[in-house]
Amino acid sequence: MPHPPARNRVRHALLRTETLNRNSDLYGTSFEAFIIGEIKAYLSYYRVKKDLTFWRSTSQYEVDCLIGNQIAVEVKSKGRVSAHDLKFFKLSRVSTL
């Protein structure tokens, strides 16, 4: 699936967001959107012809960003990443996308 375009900017405008609490879901989704935007800019600048997509299973496993079919990126904005945060990577060792 292609990435949804700029939905966080629209969300911030509608909610009239002035500040983001670092521990909020809105901060996390905004941080993810920022990182994916930076990846997209990098690929464009260096003219890398790779699809930028995300993946979600029917069981709700997901990967924030897939670059082509070789690189999976999971974006986290918290201080500590737990094993639960990496559940897709454990799943991918056993199955294929």
Side-chain angles (χ1 to χ4, degrees), residues 55 60-64 72-95:
W55 176 83
Q60 299 306 306
Y61 287 102
E62 68 174 37
V63 175
D64 295 330
V73 178
E74 184 64 25
V75 179
K76 296 294 173 200
S77 62
K78 55 187 177 178
R80 288 197 170 160
V81 177
S82 69
H84 178 73
D85 296 320
L86 304 174
K87 62 187 172 191
F88 165 77
F89 295 101
K90 290 179 184 177
L91 173 71
S92 66
R93 288 183 185 167
V94 196
S95 64

Side-chain angles (χ1 to χ4, degrees), residues 4 6 11 14 18 23 26 32-33 37 54 57 65 68-69 71 74 79-81 84 92 96-97:
R11 179 192 252 178
L14 292 173
E18 293 181 13
N23 297 316
L26 187 57
E32 179 181 317
F54 69 99
S57 74
C65 183
N69 61 359
I71 301 171
E74 184 64 25
R80 288 197 170 160
V81 177
H84 178 73
S92 66
T96 60
L97 295 175

